[in-house]
Amino acid sequence: MRKVKLNEIEESVRKLFLEANIVLPDDVLNALRDASTKEESPIGIEIFDDILKNAYLAKEEGMPICQDTGLAVVFVELGQEVQFEGNGTIIDAINSGVRKAYTEGYFRASVLADPVKRAPNTKDNTPAVVWVEIVPGDRVKIIAVPKGGGSENMSKIKMLKPADGVDGIKRFVLETVEQAGSNPCPPIVVGVGIGGTFEKCAYLAKKALLRKIGEHHPDPFYAQLEKEILTEINKTGIGPMGLGGRITAISVNIETYPCHIASLPVAVNINCHAARHKEIII
């Protein structure tokens, strides 16, 4: 067994969320630059200029990319040969890291302790939403995802009939994006989860957002489907920030899982143009 100190987990999470809220990943920045050269709408071109200037200034000034610094989502791939040392659990360590990052960074506190009573605000953006997957080996991979509310609110899930097939999937994704319009701050990244169960396909859709832009599904069938859906989305004319244009999305990422013979669950999780995420392997 390899021993990992919980305070190392805490410190890693702190650094990841501080950086994720301030510095866009290179793949996202490069995709935005590339998309800006393809946009034909004058106002769309102007918006791309503003988006890119904002990203550069955020990094230069050490300021958040967006005032909505998101709800902290954390994906953990935990090696089965890892043993933790220290007080508490890995969830405690993650929440402590989130608390420190959002307090030190003066990031907006956006978490309500009760979803219906709408109070109180937890003041430090905890608790995080944490997903832990046990994997072979003796390493811990942590991915920090500050998920903004505007794009999250536009996400949907639907239990399609198996007979709906590929065409049904395409229609559902396209309808979801069209109904979202300007709300998720396009150009967007679209995560699509297909298969599993009701909750599994939603998890897959969120995980799909973590794939580097430009990397397609390893199965050529789904890689082609990603390209086809992206093309259709960019024909909608929603455009940057919903003000019209050629580029509404910069990527469509699909993740799949086996499902019941009677089911075809599909989830769409949308990310804004600031597709923030950072990762580390300990």
Side-chain angles (χ1 to χ4, degrees):
M1 298 293 286
R2 175 172 171 258
K3 294 184 179 180
V4 174
K5 295 183 183 299
L6 285 171
N7 60 11
E8 187 176 356
I9 299 293
E10 177 188 311
E11 179 61 12
S12 296
V13 169
R14 183 189 73 84
K15 288 179 178 177
L16 287 173
F17 275 102
L18 280 169
E19 187 177 356
N21 270 304
I22 293 169
V23 183
L24 274 185
D26 288 341
D27 63 304
V28 176
L29 205 52
N30 290 336
L32 290 170
R33 283 197 204 102
D34 182 58
S36 71
T37 67
K38 296 173 183 174
E39 182 54 65
E40 296 168 354
S41 158
I43 193 167
I45 292 168
E46 207 173 302
I47 288 167
F48 266 114
D49 287 343
D50 288 342
I51 286 172
L52 290 167
K53 283 177 187 173
N54 180 69
Y56 298 140
L57 280 171
K59 184 177 181 180
E60 201 173 283
E61 301 293 331
M63 301 284 284
I65 298 160
C66 177
Q67 51 84 23
D68 182 355
T69 48
L71 191 151
V73 180
V74 182
F75 287 85
V76 179
E77 291 181 12
L78 175 58
Q80 62 184 3
E81 296 170 33
V82 170
Q83 182 179 21
F84 291 114
E85 288 187 325
N87 296 323
T89 67
I90 184 173
I91 305 299
D92 296 329
I94 287 169
N95 279 320
S96 182
V98 168
R99 184 177 297 112
K100 287 183 177 180
Y102 278 78
T103 303
E104 291 173 23
Y106 298 97
F107 297 155
R108 192 180 80 182
S110 302
V111 175
L112 298 171
D114 190 291
V116 179
K117 297 174 187 175
R118 311 305 288 173
N121 190 304
T122 64
K123 305 291 187 184
D124 56 17
N125 246 58
T126 61
V129 174
V130 184
W131 299 99
V132 180
E133 180 182 358
I134 306 299
V135 298
D138 63 357
R139 293 289 181 266
V140 183
K141 182 178 181 179
I142 302 172
I143 307 174
V145 186
K147 192 64 171 67
S151 59
E152 189 74 359
N153 288 347
M154 295 300 105
S155 304
K156 288 188 177 182
I157 186 169
K158 189 171 185 178
M159 303 302 286
L160 296 179
K161 299 179 181 67
D164 291 326
V166 172
D167 288 341
I169 293 168
K170 285 182 177 179
R171 278 196 304 273
F172 174 55
V173 177
L174 203 59
E175 285 168 6
T176 301
V177 172
E178 287 177 325
Q179 289 169 15
S182 64
N183 291 302
C185 296
I188 56 178
V189 177
V190 182
V192 182
I194 305 172
T197 52
F198 179 84
E199 80 286 359
K200 180 68 174 183
C201 71
Y203 167 82
L204 292 171
K206 168 121 331 67
K207 197 170 183 182
L209 296 175
L210 307 181
R211 191 194 308 160
K212 286 191 176 181
I213 295 173
E215 289 184 4
H216 294 289
H217 195 286
D219 184 330
F221 174 86
Y222 290 108
Q224 181 61 32
L225 186 56
E226 289 172 342
K227 292 174 185 176
E228 289 175 8
I229 295 174
L230 180 61
T231 297
E232 291 303 310
I233 288 172
N234 284 331
K235 286 180 182 177
T236 61
I238 294 168
M241 292 296 173
L243 295 174
R246 184 180 173 190
I247 308 297
T248 299
I250 55 175
S251 187
V252 172
N253 301 337
I254 294 172
E255 292 293 328
T256 65
Y257 196 82
C259 70
H260 193 281
I261 56 172
S263 300
L264 180 56
V266 182
V268 179
N269 197 204
I270 296 177
N271 216 344
C272 66
H273 65 270
R276 300 164 294 184
H277 54 88
K278 295 288 178 182
E279 65 182 62
I280 190 173
I281 297 175
I282 298 171

